[in-house]
Amino acid sequence: MAEAKNLGVVGSGQMGSGIAQLGAMHGLHVWLLDTDPTALYRANKSISSSLQRFVSKGQISQAACTEALRRLEYTSNIDELRSADFIVEAIVESEDVKKKLFIELDKITKSSAILASNTSSISITRLASATSRPCQVIGMHFMNPPPIMKLVEIVRGADTSDETFHATKALAERFHKTIICSQDYSGFIVNRILMPMINEAFFTLYTGVATKEDIDTAMKLGTNHPIGPLELADFIGLDVCLSIMKVLHAGLGDSKYAPCPLLVRYVDAGRVGRKCGVGVYDYRKGSEPMKASPRL
């Protein structure tokens, strides 16, 4: 399979915009697709700011920054992905929504295009089953934020071909990522381990064992984690954490993966983390430090 030249990224949130930025920084022509023009506007500003930070730190030249921005196109028209060699979806963590997208992509993209999912937990085999090209569907799970984090988790579905795997691996290597490979089980490697830890941190808060600050401090200073599990949950998004825990619970069938009721309540209340200004912690300007009641 020829080296990819044109990259399509679907979803312009933190993950999608970060993946699009990576592609543009490494010489690919990139289309970033989102149905929400406001989200595309935010992505444009975010990518521009991120690239300028790379320049200010001496990690790339101003010319490289300008070239990367020139290679990026923002669109709400899915038909513009027709010429993409490789497409990565980074939309909401919902199997039904992702399947609907894969059906659309399967219809409009060229027959040689690889369809990759940035899902962190959903079965690649089931997503591939929605297409006429399951051998060209693969999981390519970037860590957040994609331009900074060094890891990519590659997941083969039941029918993913060797050619698709090697093309995906080559793209990750082009991005200078370290690659790990997972079998197609719920949560793969990273979230199979990480999310139950975050969920247990919520149970620790919920049952009144300790304050949120002490829980995070315990894991930072006691186990040398760079960020506490509750702080990390706010960064990821509590809604995303909940979605992944539901996938783990349903897919693995063990009650130990049942989401903590406090996590569910926070999401129901719209307290989903940094992206909305409040989650376990309150990030709104001028707010008093929030005392997160274990009973909300």
Side-chain angles (χ1 to χ4, degrees), residues 188-251:
F188 314 136
I189 301 170
V190 173
N191 281 332
R192 176 78 176 263
I193 298 167
L194 174 64
M195 285 300 157
M197 182 191 73
I198 287 175
N199 197 50
E200 194 61 32
F202 272 95
F203 270 114
T204 306
L205 181 61
Y206 180 60
T207 55
V209 173
T211 65
K212 63 184 184 295
E213 294 87 358
D214 282 353
I215 292 166
D216 281 338
T217 299
M219 297 307 292
K220 286 187 286 187
L221 301 186
T223 63
N224 206 29
H225 288 199
I227 185 171
L230 298 173
E231 293 171 299
L232 180 57
D234 273 352
F235 181 74
I236 294 169
L238 304 193
D239 52 338
V240 175
C241 294
L242 179 58
S243 293
I244 295 169
M245 286 308 303
K246 287 178 177 178
V247 169
L248 289 173
H249 192 210

Side-chain angles (χ1 to χ4, degrees), residues 25-169:
M25 289 174 69
H26 291 90
L28 293 166
H29 185 90
V30 181
W31 289 272
L32 180 56
L33 172 73
D34 201 297
T35 55
D36 181 1
T38 304
L40 287 174
Y41 174 77
R42 287 196 302 265
N44 190 341
K45 289 186 65 176
S46 173
I47 292 171
S48 297
S49 297
S50 177
L51 286 168
Q52 283 300 328
R53 284 194 296 273
F54 276 91
V55 172
S56 66
K57 292 177 181 178
Q59 294 172 317
I60 62 172
S61 66
Q62 185 61 56
C65 171
T66 301
E67 279 299 301
L69 290 171
R70 186 183 61 79
R71 286 189 286 266
L72 270 162
E73 292 190 39
Y74 301 86
T75 181
S76 293
N77 181 6
I78 195 170
D79 287 337
E80 293 201 39
L81 301 186
R82 287 183 183 276
S83 58
D85 304 306
F86 200 105
I87 297 173
V88 182
E89 70 78 14
I91 62 173
V92 64
E93 193 73 354
S94 162
E95 183 172 332
D96 289 342
V97 177
K98 288 182 188 291
K99 277 184 172 179
K100 287 176 184 176
L101 173 63
F102 270 69
I103 290 168
E104 284 189 76
L105 292 172
D106 190 40
K107 289 176 182 176
I108 65 102
T109 54
K110 58 189 181 183
S111 60
S112 60
I114 290 173
L115 306 181
S117 175
N118 184 57
T119 180
S120 57
S121 60
I122 296 168
S123 167
I124 300 302
T125 301
R126 292 202 300 271
L127 294 179
S129 71
T131 75
S132 63
R133 60 179 96 184
C135 62
Q136 291 163 235
V137 177
I138 195 164
M140 192 180 193
H141 177 211
F142 291 82
M143 305 299 127
N144 192 18
I148 304 296
M149 299 295 281
K150 296 178 180 179
L151 190 72
V152 167
E153 190 173 36
I154 295 179
V155 186
R156 297 177 69 153
D159 297 312
T160 303
S161 68
D162 288 344
E163 189 176 23
T164 296
F165 170 76
H166 290 303
T168 306
K169 183 172 180 284

